[in-house]
């Protein structure tokens, strides 16, 4: 699969299930000049733990993310500083999805809202979710057409 071609289509950016070849996604992202951010959610089982992990792993503004609205604002501010765009690779998401499915769904909603906001600014924000069943959370797979 030509990830460079897929990722260069900024209009398609959004939330996706992580492909098996996630290393190729990261390499293609770097070739395109996209910032690559990573966070492992292994052991994360609550909203508070998720926000703490994201604050520690991502280059969020100093004010950070203390709640969902602050996460939305912090991500928007951080992504907008990356004019070429951002690829966020989230691994081991199953722990949070199992322990706190409502928090996981809300986090996906926040990421989706950020992607939409960034789309309006013509800045691609790609999020790849690993460790969950894509069909359970209605996550598309990069490169597959919607049915």
């Amino acid at each position: 699969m030509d990830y460079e071609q897929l990722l260069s289509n900024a209009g398609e950016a959004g939330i996706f299930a992580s492909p098996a070849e996630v290393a190729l996604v990261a390499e293609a992202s770097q070739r395109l000049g996209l910032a690559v951010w990573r966070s492992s959610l292994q052991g994360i089982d609550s909203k508070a733990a998720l926000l703490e992990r994201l604050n520690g792993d991502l280059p969020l503004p100093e004010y950070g993310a203390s709640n969902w609205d602050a996460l939305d604002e912090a991500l928007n501010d951080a992504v907008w500083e990356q004019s070429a765009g951002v690829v966020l690779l989230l691994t081991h998401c199953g722990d949070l999805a199992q322990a706190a499915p409502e928090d996981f769904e809300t986090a996906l909603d926040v990421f989706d809202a950020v992607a939409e906001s960034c789309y309006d600014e013509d800045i691609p924000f790609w999020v790849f979710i690993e460790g969950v069943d894509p069909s359970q959370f209605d996550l598309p797979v990069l490169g597959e057409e919607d049915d």
Side-chain angles (χ1 to χ4, degrees), residues 103-121:
D103 288 340
F104 183 70
E105 289 274 2
T106 301
L108 292 178
D109 289 343
V110 170
F111 297 138
D112 189 52
V114 172
E116 286 183 28
S117 176
C118 290
Y119 175 82
D120 292 342
E121 298 295 321

Side-chain angles (χ1 to χ4, degrees), residues 116-135:
E116 286 183 28
S117 176
C118 290
Y119 175 82
D120 292 342
E121 298 295 321
D122 200 29
I123 300 171
F125 180 57
W126 298 90
V127 180
F128 294 98
I129 306 293
E130 183 272 329
V132 299
D133 175 1
S135 64

